[in-house]
Amino acid sequence: MRYKQKRILKLVFIVAIILFSYFLYHFYGINLGLDLEGGSHIVLQAEPTEQREISDEVMKVISNIIERRVNQMGLAEALIQREGRDRVIVGLPAVDNPNEAIKTIGRTAVLTFRNAQGDVLMTGDAIKSAKAGYGGAFREPVVNFELTPDGSKKFEAITRQYLGQHIAIYLDDEELMNPVVNEVIRGSGSISGNYKSVEEAQNDAVLITEGALPVPVKVVQSRIVGPTLGKISIQKSITAGLFGLLLVGIYMLIYYRFPGLLAAVILAIYGLILLGTLAGLGATLTLPGIAGLILSIGMAVDANIIIFERIKDERRSGKTLKASIDAGFKRAYTTIIDANVTTIITALILAYFTSGTVRGFAVTLGIGVIVSMFTAFFVTRNVIDLFADTKLLNSGAAFGLKGRK
């Protein structure tokens, strides 16, 4: 394939990426976090029991279980945060009915299998996984569960012992079902708890899968957070971002001339690809996430400046424009990769060891840096190559060269 054909093919690929990014952004949109869109703010307080006191270890277990339950509910960018000795703050973006959420995240959720006398035969610890589905003669919503190997053996022995008798299944003190054992059961089973919908069954499946809280928790505060403050923050962030981009564009245009104009256009392409990527990944944007977004835009500008400075150095050494572009990009690759990889490593560490909005900042920054590397190495290179034969790049003032004609 000839050089010209390769160049056209690469440009078509860039246009396709731009259109696909716009499609993702337009079709999926960007989810907004609790601080921008509003939602539910819930404070839970752990209550000691006769068997267990409140300790740091107990609170860690409660926080982890609540976080897993929230994740299983499909709520992105939720805030799970310890407060004091015995409280957990739960922030749920876009949830305008906290009472429904509390039924799932705040329930102790001890699953027990009991005989007719009320004796506990087996607990939910024997269940490996559970998920909602349809079952029974009328295909009603049920919770299908799979037992652990030890749980399977135990349940087989229980159902063999109680063949022809009732075994009730309780979630806390609520009786879900009280069926007659008609056959020996091993491996898996289902719970038909008169669920009105498969979503209701899924809520119990989440509780069963993620395990019971070590101690009960009570709701001490539950309120709906309005989006007013978030709208003001978004407007100010957009204004600050556009003003910053305008200043950067003007600086690039004055200092680098036509290449500076190309850099401003590439920056807009970078922004569209980044928004499309965030939308495609279903990311949720928070105020710290916006900070990460703006920081990554700054790093994208830095990458273009490094490239232009390397090309300028090569031009000063007397090389032709095409040779300077080749050598400039090769020299810039190492610097850009070194700088960005350290940032990505930092973002990964932050994302792994933190939660909530801090993790959102880290994820947004990491994605932004990766996208900026793609636009610097692929988009910028091919756009510069497109104009390499024109006077716009061959002029003496291009790339900030002074005194050349």
Side-chain angles (χ1 to χ4, degrees), residues 236-385:
K236 289 184 175 179
S237 298
I238 291 175
T239 303
L242 291 176
F243 188 66
L245 286 174
L246 180 63
L247 290 180
V248 169
I250 292 173
Y251 169 79
M252 297 289 283
L253 183 61
I254 293 175
Y255 193 77
Y256 293 107
R257 304 298 174 87
F258 184 69
L261 177 63
L262 293 180
V265 174
I266 292 167
L267 202 58
I269 294 173
Y270 160 79
L272 184 57
I273 294 175
L274 179 57
L275 289 176
T277 304
L278 292 174
L281 293 174
T284 299
L285 202 60
T286 61
L287 271 178
I290 291 177
L293 200 68
I294 293 176
L295 184 57
S296 68
I297 290 174
M299 298 189 71
V301 175
D302 282 347
N304 283 325
I305 290 177
I306 291 171
I307 292 169
F308 291 167
E309 288 298 317
R310 296 292 183 269
I311 293 175
K312 186 167 69 176
D313 291 342
E314 298 298 330
R315 289 283 281 162
R316 280 175 175 159
S317 67
K319 291 182 180 178
T320 63
L321 178 61
K322 287 187 177 179
S324 298
I325 291 173
D326 288 338
F329 269 96
K330 287 178 182 175
R331 289 180 57 200
Y333 285 159
T334 306
T335 307
I336 295 172
I337 289 174
D338 286 348
N340 287 344
V341 165
T342 52
T343 305
I344 290 172
I345 291 173
T346 305
L348 286 173
I349 293 172
L350 268 180
Y352 183 80
F353 286 103
T354 61
S355 62
T357 55
V358 178
R359 180 178 290 172
F361 167 79
V363 171
T364 308
L365 177 61
I367 294 174
V369 171
I370 292 172
V371 174
S372 75
M373 291 174 69
F374 170 76
T375 53
F377 295 158
F378 189 77
V379 179
T380 302
R381 175 60 196 262
N382 285 285
V383 171
I384 291 291
D385 282 346

Side-chain angles (χ1 to χ4, degrees), residues 168-178 193:
I169 301 176
Y170 283 79
L171 192 60
D172 293 334
D173 294 325
E174 178 188 355
E175 181 183 291
L176 298 179
M177 62 186 297
N178 187 21

Side-chain angles (χ1 to χ4, degrees), residues 161-214:
Q161 179 183 350
Y162 287 89
L163 201 61
Q165 302 178 48
H166 286 276
I167 292 182
I169 301 176
Y170 283 79
L171 192 60
D172 293 334
D173 294 325
E174 178 188 355
E175 181 183 291
L176 298 179
M177 62 186 297
N178 187 21
V180 174
V181 180
N182 293 319
E183 60 181 350
V184 175
I185 301 173
R186 59 180 71 86
S188 62
S190 64
I191 302 171
S192 56
N194 296 320
Y195 297 114
K196 295 177 182 176
S197 66
V198 73
E199 288 78 16
E200 190 178 340
Q202 179 59 29
N203 288 338
D204 279 359
V206 169
L207 295 173
I208 295 169
T209 300
E210 300 306 334
L213 295 177

